[in-house]
Amino acid sequence: MNATDRTPADLLRSALATDPARPLVTFYDDATGERVELSVATFANWVAKTANLLQGELGAEPGERVALLLPAHWQTAVWLLACSSVGVVADVGGDAGSADHVVAGPGRFEDGLACSGERVALSLAPLGRRFAQVPSGYVDYAVEVPGQGDVFRPYGPVDPEAAALVVAGAELSGAE
């Protein structure tokens, strides 16, 4: 961390510059036995690809809301940082009907259909595997993200004082 870090995306960039090979995220799924460990560099690559998808393909703009209908999972962490990178508000478990975009995982696809904007489905299967059949009304994250760029540049600067995250109804800025 350095004195200019103001947002989660800034913190990730600093970690990448300092020690890209060190472990950053370790995820355990007790139900399946899955274990995933991501280095700073690998996590940052997933974030860059997801931010490019969010900004470029989905057309998300700063200030828009993305309802994240996802459980605690390593891919949820990727989406939180991608939202911060673009400047969109990540609304954890938020109301899909009032969101501009929705990202949903198993058990939440029906809820996500209330969103009139773009919808992305995550299988949350090991290694980010694709769906055998994509849920109706959604694009498959595992199909869309691999072709995205490995470097992300936002179209404009992200305001660290703007809303960035909503958890249990509490809204936080990127700086908070």
Side-chain angles (χ1 to χ4, degrees), residues 49-62 82 85-88 148 152-156 158:
K49 286 179 171 295
T50 302
N52 280 316
L53 173 69
L54 189 56
Q55 178 178 264
E57 299 295 320
L58 304 181
E61 297 181 6
S85 299
V86 174
V88 300
Q148 299 298 322
F152 175 73
R153 300 277 186 258
Y155 291 151
V158 173

Side-chain angles (χ1 to χ4, degrees), residues 58 66-70 79 101-105 118-122 138:
L58 304 181
V66 175
L68 295 178
L69 307 181
L70 301 168
W79 274 94
H101 312 276
V102 71
V103 179
E118 300 291 337
R119 297 183 210 104
V120 180
L122 277 70
Y138 286 85

Side-chain angles (χ1 to χ4, degrees), residues 65-67 69 94-104 108-120 137-138:
R65 289 190 180 265
V66 175
L69 307 181
D95 174 30
S98 63
D100 298 293
H101 312 276
V102 71
V103 179
R108 299 298 309 268
F109 300 126
E110 191 66 33
D111 298 334
L113 292 175
C115 179
S116 61
E118 300 291 337
R119 297 183 210 104
V120 180
Y138 286 85

Side-chain angles (χ1 to χ4, degrees), residues 1-101:
M1 182 171 160
N2 63 53
T4 60
D5 291 338
R6 298 287 318 275
T7 67
D10 292 338
L11 292 170
L12 181 59
R13 277 190 292 279
S14 287
L16 188 60
T18 303
D19 189 0
R22 80 173 171 86
L24 181 67
V25 174
T26 302
F27 170 74
Y28 296 94
D29 185 333
D30 292 334
T32 65
E34 176 187 10
R35 179 188 181 278
V36 174
E37 183 172 281
L38 303 173
S39 67
V40 175
T42 301
F43 185 77
N45 184 255
W46 276 97
V47 169
K49 286 179 171 295
T50 302
N52 280 316
L53 173 69
L54 189 56
Q55 178 178 264
E57 299 295 320
L58 304 181
E61 297 181 6
E64 290 186 345
R65 289 190 180 265
V66 175
L68 295 178
L69 307 181
L70 301 168
H73 193 275
W74 69 268
Q75 290 183 4
T76 305
V78 166
W79 274 94
L80 288 167
L81 266 287
C83 287
S84 175
S85 299
V86 174
V88 300
V89 180
D91 192 350
V92 178
D95 174 30
S98 63
D100 298 293
H101 312 276

